[in-house]
mmCIF file with all atom_site columns, all heavy atoms in Angstrom:
data_model
loop_
_atom_site.group_PDB
_atom_site.id
_atom_site.type_symbol
_atom_site.label_atom_id
_atom_site.label_alt_id
_atom_site.label_comp_id
_atom_site.label_asym_id
_atom_site.label_entity_id
_atom_site.label_seq_id
_atom_site.pdbx_PDB_ins_code
_atom_site.Cartn_x
_atom_site.Cartn_y
_atom_site.Cartn_z
_atom_site.occupancy
_atom_site.B_iso_or_equiv
_atom_site.pdbx_formal_charge
_atom_site.auth_seq_id
_atom_site.auth_comp_id
_atom_site.auth_asym_id
_atom_site.auth_atom_id
_atom_site.pdbx_PDB_model_num
ATOM 1   N N   . LEU A 1 14 ? -13.565 -16.779 -16.952 1.00 94.00 ? 14 LEU A N   1
ATOM 2   C CA  . LEU A 1 14 ? -14.635 -16.760 -15.954 1.00 94.00 ? 14 LEU A CA  1
ATOM 3   C C   . LEU A 1 14 ? -14.058 -16.757 -14.542 1.00 94.00 ? 14 LEU A C   1
ATOM 4   O O   . LEU A 1 14 ? -14.474 -15.956 -13.696 1.00 94.00 ? 14 LEU A O   1
ATOM 5   C CB  . LEU A 1 14 ? -15.546 -17.972 -16.135 1.00 94.00 ? 14 LEU A CB  1
ATOM 6   C CG  . LEU A 1 14 ? -16.600 -18.174 -15.038 1.00 94.00 ? 14 LEU A CG  1
ATOM 7   C CD1 . LEU A 1 14 ? -17.606 -17.032 -15.050 1.00 94.00 ? 14 LEU A CD1 1
ATOM 8   C CD2 . LEU A 1 14 ? -17.298 -19.521 -15.199 1.00 94.00 ? 14 LEU A CD2 1
ATOM 9   N N   . ILE A 1 15 ? -13.106 -17.642 -14.281 1.00 93.00 ? 15 ILE A N   1
ATOM 10  C CA  . ILE A 1 15 ? -12.514 -17.728 -12.944 1.00 93.00 ? 15 ILE A CA  1
ATOM 11  C C   . ILE A 1 15 ? -11.819 -16.418 -12.583 1.00 93.00 ? 15 ILE A C   1
ATOM 12  O O   . ILE A 1 15 ? -11.903 -15.943 -11.442 1.00 93.00 ? 15 ILE A O   1
ATOM 13  C CB  . ILE A 1 15 ? -11.525 -18.906 -12.870 1.00 93.00 ? 15 ILE A CB  1
ATOM 14  C CG1 . ILE A 1 15 ? -12.264 -20.233 -13.086 1.00 93.00 ? 15 ILE A CG1 1
ATOM 15  C CG2 . ILE A 1 15 ? -10.803 -18.914 -11.532 1.00 93.00 ? 15 ILE A CG2 1
ATOM 16  C CD1 . ILE A 1 15 ? -13.382 -20.495 -12.100 1.00 93.00 ? 15 ILE A CD1 1
ATOM 17  N N   . THR A 1 16 ? -11.152 -15.814 -13.561 1.00 92.00 ? 16 THR A N   1
ATOM 18  C CA  . THR A 1 16 ? -10.488 -14.529 -13.315 1.00 92.00 ? 16 THR A CA  1
ATOM 19  C C   . THR A 1 16 ? -11.504 -13.458 -12.950 1.00 92.00 ? 16 THR A C   1
ATOM 20  O O   . THR A 1 16 ? -11.311 -12.692 -11.996 1.00 92.00 ? 16 THR A O   1
ATOM 21  C CB  . THR A 1 16 ? -9.695  -14.090 -14.555 1.00 92.00 ? 16 THR A CB  1
ATOM 22  O OG1 . THR A 1 16 ? -8.667  -15.053 -14.820 1.00 92.00 ? 16 THR A OG1 1
ATOM 23  C CG2 . THR A 1 16 ? -9.055  -12.722 -14.330 1.00 92.00 ? 16 THR A CG2 1
ATOM 24  N N   . MET A 1 17 ? -12.605 -13.397 -13.681 1.00 92.00 ? 17 MET A N   1
ATOM 25  C CA  . MET A 1 17 ? -13.629 -12.388 -13.411 1.00 92.00 ? 17 MET A CA  1
ATOM 26  C C   . MET A 1 17 ? -14.309 -12.633 -12.067 1.00 92.00 ? 17 MET A C   1
ATOM 27  O O   . MET A 1 17 ? -14.562 -11.696 -11.306 1.00 92.00 ? 17 MET A O   1
ATOM 28  C CB  . MET A 1 17 ? -14.662 -12.378 -14.540 1.00 92.00 ? 17 MET A CB  1
ATOM 29  C CG  . MET A 1 17 ? -14.103 -11.942 -15.884 1.00 92.00 ? 17 MET A CG  1
ATOM 30  S SD  . MET A 1 17 ? -15.330 -11.933 -17.221 1.00 92.00 ? 17 MET A SD  1
ATOM 31  C CE  . MET A 1 17 ? -16.244 -10.430 -16.823 1.00 92.00 ? 17 MET A CE  1
ATOM 32  N N   . LEU A 1 18 ? -14.586 -13.892 -11.756 1.00 91.00 ? 18 LEU A N   1
ATOM 33  C CA  . LEU A 1 18 ? -15.210 -14.207 -10.471 1.00 91.00 ? 18 LEU A CA  1
ATOM 34  C C   . LEU A 1 18 ? -14.286 -13.865 -9.305  1.00 91.00 ? 18 LEU A C   1
ATOM 35  O O   . LEU A 1 18 ? -14.747 -13.550 -8.207  1.00 91.00 ? 18 LEU A O   1
ATOM 36  C CB  . LEU A 1 18 ? -15.584 -15.690 -10.417 1.00 91.00 ? 18 LEU A CB  1
ATOM 37  C CG  . LEU A 1 18 ? -16.761 -16.140 -11.286 1.00 91.00 ? 18 LEU A CG  1
ATOM 38  C CD1 . LEU A 1 18 ? -16.903 -17.656 -11.248 1.00 91.00 ? 18 LEU A CD1 1
ATOM 39  C CD2 . LEU A 1 18 ? -18.063 -15.475 -10.832 1.00 91.00 ? 18 LEU A CD2 1
ATOM 40  N N   . GLY A 1 19 ? -12.983 -13.919 -9.548  1.00 88.00 ? 19 GLY A N   1
ATOM 41  C CA  . GLY A 1 19 ? -12.017 -13.624 -8.497  1.00 88.00 ? 19 GLY A CA  1
ATOM 42  C C   . GLY A 1 19 ? -11.772 -12.148 -8.276  1.00 88.00 ? 19 GLY A C   1
ATOM 43  O O   . GLY A 1 19 ? -11.024 -11.778 -7.367  1.00 88.00 ? 19 GLY A O   1
ATOM 44  N N   . GLN A 1 20 ? -12.383 -11.298 -9.105  1.00 87.00 ? 20 GLN A N   1
ATOM 45  C CA  . GLN A 1 20 ? -12.228 -9.850  -8.963  1.00 87.00 ? 20 GLN A CA  1
ATOM 46  C C   . GLN A 1 20 ? -13.497 -9.272  -8.346  1.00 87.00 ? 20 GLN A C   1
ATOM 47  O O   . GLN A 1 20 ? -14.538 -9.217  -9.000  1.00 87.00 ? 20 GLN A O   1
ATOM 48  C CB  . GLN A 1 20 ? -11.960 -9.214  -10.328 1.00 87.00 ? 20 GLN A CB  1
ATOM 49  C CG  . GLN A 1 20 ? -10.670 -9.690  -10.973 1.00 87.00 ? 20 GLN A CG  1
ATOM 50  C CD  . GLN A 1 20 ? -10.473 -9.135  -12.365 1.00 87.00 ? 20 GLN A CD  1
ATOM 51  O OE1 . GLN A 1 20 ? -11.246 -8.302  -12.833 1.00 87.00 ? 20 GLN A OE1 1
ATOM 52  N NE2 . GLN A 1 20 ? -9.434  -9.595  -13.042 1.00 87.00 ? 20 GLN A NE2 1
ATOM 53  N N   . PRO A 1 21 ? -13.435 -8.832  -7.092  1.00 86.00 ? 21 PRO A N   1
ATOM 54  C CA  . PRO A 1 21 ? -14.658 -8.401  -6.397  1.00 86.00 ? 21 PRO A CA  1
ATOM 55  C C   . PRO A 1 21 ? -15.344 -7.197  -7.029  1.00 86.00 ? 21 PRO A C   1
ATOM 56  O O   . PRO A 1 21 ? -16.536 -6.993  -6.812  1.00 86.00 ? 21 PRO A O   1
ATOM 57  C CB  . PRO A 1 21 ? -14.161 -8.074  -4.981  1.00 86.00 ? 21 PRO A CB  1
ATOM 58  C CG  . PRO A 1 21 ? -12.697 -7.849  -5.120  1.00 86.00 ? 21 PRO A CG  1
ATOM 59  C CD  . PRO A 1 21 ? -12.247 -8.748  -6.226  1.00 86.00 ? 21 PRO A CD  1
ATOM 60  N N   . CYS A 1 22 ? -14.610 -6.413  -7.816  1.00 85.00 ? 22 CYS A N   1
ATOM 61  C CA  . CYS A 1 22 ? -15.232 -5.241  -8.437  1.00 85.00 ? 22 CYS A CA  1
ATOM 62  C C   . CYS A 1 22 ? -15.900 -5.569  -9.766  1.00 85.00 ? 22 CYS A C   1
ATOM 63  O O   . CYS A 1 22 ? -16.508 -4.695  -10.388 1.00 85.00 ? 22 CYS A O   1
ATOM 64  C CB  . CYS A 1 22 ? -14.196 -4.129  -8.628  1.00 85.00 ? 22 CYS A CB  1
ATOM 65  S SG  . CYS A 1 22 ? -13.647 -3.389  -7.069  1.00 85.00 ? 22 CYS A SG  1
ATOM 66  N N   . VAL A 1 23 ? -15.784 -6.807  -10.219 1.00 89.00 ? 23 VAL A N   1
ATOM 67  C CA  . VAL A 1 23 ? -16.495 -7.245  -11.420 1.00 89.00 ? 23 VAL A CA  1
ATOM 68  C C   . VAL A 1 23 ? -17.839 -7.811  -10.975 1.00 89.00 ? 23 VAL A C   1
ATOM 69  O O   . VAL A 1 23 ? -17.904 -8.769  -10.207 1.00 89.00 ? 23 VAL A O   1
ATOM 70  C CB  . VAL A 1 23 ? -15.695 -8.312  -12.188 1.00 89.00 ? 23 VAL A CB  1
ATOM 71  C CG1 . VAL A 1 23 ? -16.501 -8.817  -13.387 1.00 89.00 ? 23 VAL A CG1 1
ATOM 72  C CG2 . VAL A 1 23 ? -14.362 -7.741  -12.656 1.00 89.00 ? 23 VAL A CG2 1
ATOM 73  N N   . THR A 1 24 ? -18.921 -7.223  -11.443 1.00 89.00 ? 24 THR A N   1
ATOM 74  C CA  . THR A 1 24 ? -20.254 -7.626  -10.996 1.00 89.00 ? 24 THR A CA  1
ATOM 75  C C   . THR A 1 24 ? -20.755 -8.844  -11.762 1.00 89.00 ? 24 THR A C   1
ATOM 76  O O   . THR A 1 24 ? -20.268 -9.171  -12.854 1.00 89.00 ? 24 THR A O   1
ATOM 77  C CB  . THR A 1 24 ? -21.255 -6.478  -11.191 1.00 89.00 ? 24 THR A CB  1
ATOM 78  O OG1 . THR A 1 24 ? -21.414 -6.230  -12.601 1.00 89.00 ? 24 THR A OG1 1
ATOM 79  C CG2 . THR A 1 24 ? -20.761 -5.205  -10.506 1.00 89.00 ? 24 THR A CG2 1
ATOM 80  N N   . PHE A 1 25 ? -21.767 -9.504  -11.186 1.00 90.00 ? 25 PHE A N   1
ATOM 81  C CA  . PHE A 1 25 ? -22.380 -10.632 -11.876 1.00 90.00 ? 25 PHE A CA  1
ATOM 82  C C   . PHE A 1 25 ? -23.038 -10.172 -13.177 1.00 90.00 ? 25 PHE A C   1
ATOM 83  O O   . PHE A 1 25 ? -23.102 -10.923 -14.147 1.00 90.00 ? 25 PHE A O   1
ATOM 84  C CB  . PHE A 1 25 ? -23.417 -11.300 -10.971 1.00 90.00 ? 25 PHE A CB  1
ATOM 85  C CG  . PHE A 1 25 ? -22.812 -12.040 -9.811  1.00 90.00 ? 25 PHE A CG  1
ATOM 86  C CD1 . PHE A 1 25 ? -23.455 -12.075 -8.586  1.00 90.00 ? 25 PHE A CD1 1
ATOM 87  C CD2 . PHE A 1 25 ? -21.608 -12.705 -9.941  1.00 90.00 ? 25 PHE A CD2 1
ATOM 88  C CE1 . PHE A 1 25 ? -22.906 -12.762 -7.513  1.00 90.00 ? 25 PHE A CE1 1
ATOM 89  C CE2 . PHE A 1 25 ? -21.048 -13.395 -8.881  1.00 90.00 ? 25 PHE A CE2 1
ATOM 90  C CZ  . PHE A 1 25 ? -21.697 -13.420 -7.659  1.00 90.00 ? 25 PHE A CZ  1
ATOM 91  N N   . THR A 1 26 ? -23.524 -8.942  -13.199 1.00 92.00 ? 26 THR A N   1
ATOM 92  C CA  . THR A 1 26 ? -24.124 -8.405  -14.422 1.00 92.00 ? 26 THR A CA  1
ATOM 93  C C   . THR A 1 26 ? -23.088 -8.322  -15.536 1.00 92.00 ? 26 THR A C   1
ATOM 94  O O   . THR A 1 26 ? -23.364 -8.686  -16.691 1.00 92.00 ? 26 THR A O   1
ATOM 95  C CB  . THR A 1 26 ? -24.716 -7.009  -14.151 1.00 92.00 ? 26 THR A CB  1
ATOM 96  O OG1 . THR A 1 26 ? -25.752 -7.120  -13.172 1.00 92.00 ? 26 THR A OG1 1
ATOM 97  C CG2 . THR A 1 26 ? -25.291 -6.415  -15.430 1.00 92.00 ? 26 THR A CG2 1
ATOM 98  N N   . GLU A 1 27 ? -21.873 -7.864  -15.199 1.00 93.00 ? 27 GLU A N   1
ATOM 99  C CA  . GLU A 1 27 ? -20.804 -7.780  -16.202 1.00 93.00 ? 27 GLU A CA  1
ATOM 100 C C   . GLU A 1 27 ? -20.408 -9.162  -16.698 1.00 93.00 ? 27 GLU A C   1
ATOM 101 O O   . GLU A 1 27 ? -20.157 -9.362  -17.894 1.00 93.00 ? 27 GLU A O   1
ATOM 102 C CB  . GLU A 1 27 ? -19.593 -7.060  -15.600 1.00 93.00 ? 27 GLU A CB  1
ATOM 103 C CG  . GLU A 1 27 ? -19.826 -5.578  -15.328 1.00 93.00 ? 27 GLU A CG  1
ATOM 104 C CD  . GLU A 1 27 ? -18.659 -4.944  -14.600 1.00 93.00 ? 27 GLU A CD  1
ATOM 105 O OE1 . GLU A 1 27 ? -18.354 -5.380  -13.471 1.00 93.00 ? 27 GLU A OE1 1
ATOM 106 O OE2 . GLU A 1 27 ? -18.053 -4.010  -15.155 1.00 93.00 ? 27 GLU A OE2 1
ATOM 107 N N   . ILE A 1 28 ? -20.340 -10.120 -15.778 1.00 93.00 ? 28 ILE A N   1
ATOM 108 C CA  . ILE A 1 28 ? -20.000 -11.490 -16.169 1.00 93.00 ? 28 ILE A CA  1
ATOM 109 C C   . ILE A 1 28 ? -21.091 -12.059 -17.072 1.00 93.00 ? 28 ILE A C   1
ATOM 110 O O   . ILE A 1 28 ? -20.803 -12.698 -18.097 1.00 93.00 ? 28 ILE A O   1
ATOM 111 C CB  . ILE A 1 28 ? -19.814 -12.369 -14.920 1.00 93.00 ? 28 ILE A CB  1
ATOM 112 C CG1 . ILE A 1 28 ? -18.607 -11.880 -14.109 1.00 93.00 ? 28 ILE A CG1 1
ATOM 113 C CG2 . ILE A 1 28 ? -19.633 -13.836 -15.312 1.00 93.00 ? 28 ILE A CG2 1
ATOM 114 C CD1 . ILE A 1 28 ? -18.442 -12.568 -12.771 1.00 93.00 ? 28 ILE A CD1 1
ATOM 115 N N   . ALA A 1 29 ? -22.343 -11.807 -16.700 1.00 94.00 ? 29 ALA A N   1
ATOM 116 C CA  . ALA A 1 29 ? -23.465 -12.307 -17.495 1.00 94.00 ? 29 ALA A CA  1
ATOM 117 C C   . ALA A 1 29 ? -23.432 -11.742 -18.909 1.00 94.00 ? 29 ALA A C   1
ATOM 118 O O   . ALA A 1 29 ? -23.638 -12.472 -19.895 1.00 94.00 ? 29 ALA A O   1
ATOM 119 C CB  . ALA A 1 29 ? -24.783 -11.952 -16.805 1.00 94.00 ? 29 ALA A CB  1
ATOM 120 N N   . GLU A 1 30 ? -23.157 -10.447 -19.031 1.00 94.00 ? 30 GLU A N   1
ATOM 121 C CA  . GLU A 1 30 ? -23.096 -9.822  -20.353 1.00 94.00 ? 30 GLU A CA  1
ATOM 122 C C   . GLU A 1 30 ? -21.929 -10.369 -21.164 1.00 94.00 ? 30 GLU A C   1
ATOM 123 O O   . GLU A 1 30 ? -22.038 -10.545 -22.385 1.00 94.00 ? 30 GLU A O   1
ATOM 124 C CB  . GLU A 1 30 ? -22.974 -8.304  -20.191 1.00 94.00 ? 30 GLU A CB  1
ATOM 125 C CG  . GLU A 1 30 ? -24.237 -7.652  -19.634 1.00 94.00 ? 30 GLU A CG  1
ATOM 126 C CD  . GLU A 1 30 ? -24.062 -6.160  -19.405 1.00 94.00 ? 30 GLU A CD  1
ATOM 127 O OE1 . GLU A 1 30 ? -22.907 -5.672  -19.517 1.00 94.00 ? 30 GLU A OE1 1
ATOM 128 O OE2 . GLU A 1 30 ? -25.064 -5.481  -19.103 1.00 94.00 ? 30 GLU A OE2 1
ATOM 129 N N   . ARG A 1 31 ? -20.817 -10.644 -20.485 1.00 92.00 ? 31 ARG A N   1
ATOM 130 C CA  . ARG A 1 31 ? -19.634 -11.157 -21.197 1.00 92.00 ? 31 ARG A CA  1
ATOM 131 C C   . ARG A 1 31 ? -19.911 -12.529 -21.803 1.00 92.00 ? 31 ARG A C   1
ATOM 132 O O   . ARG A 1 31 ? -19.453 -12.846 -22.903 1.00 92.00 ? 31 ARG A O   1
ATOM 133 C CB  . ARG A 1 31 ? -18.455 -11.235 -20.217 1.00 92.00 ? 31 ARG A CB  1
ATOM 134 C CG  . ARG A 1 31 ? -17.196 -11.894 -20.781 1.00 92.00 ? 31 ARG A CG  1
ATOM 135 C CD  . ARG A 1 31 ? -16.611 -11.053 -21.904 1.00 92.00 ? 31 ARG A CD  1
ATOM 136 N NE  . ARG A 1 31 ? -15.406 -11.646 -22.442 1.00 92.00 ? 31 ARG A NE  1
ATOM 137 C CZ  . ARG A 1 31 ? -15.384 -12.657 -23.313 1.00 92.00 ? 31 ARG A CZ  1
ATOM 138 N NH1 . ARG A 1 31 ? -16.534 -13.178 -23.739 1.00 92.00 ? 31 ARG A NH1 1
ATOM 139 N NH2 . ARG A 1 31 ? -14.241 -13.137 -23.761 1.00 92.00 ? 31 ARG A NH2 1
#
Side-chain angles (χ1 to χ4, degrees):
L14 172 66
I15 296 302
T16 298
M17 295 180 76
L18 288 173
Q20 298 176 6
C22 291
V23 176
T24 66
F25 290 145
T26 298
E27 291 174 299
I28 295 173
E30 291 177 351
R31 174 66 179 80

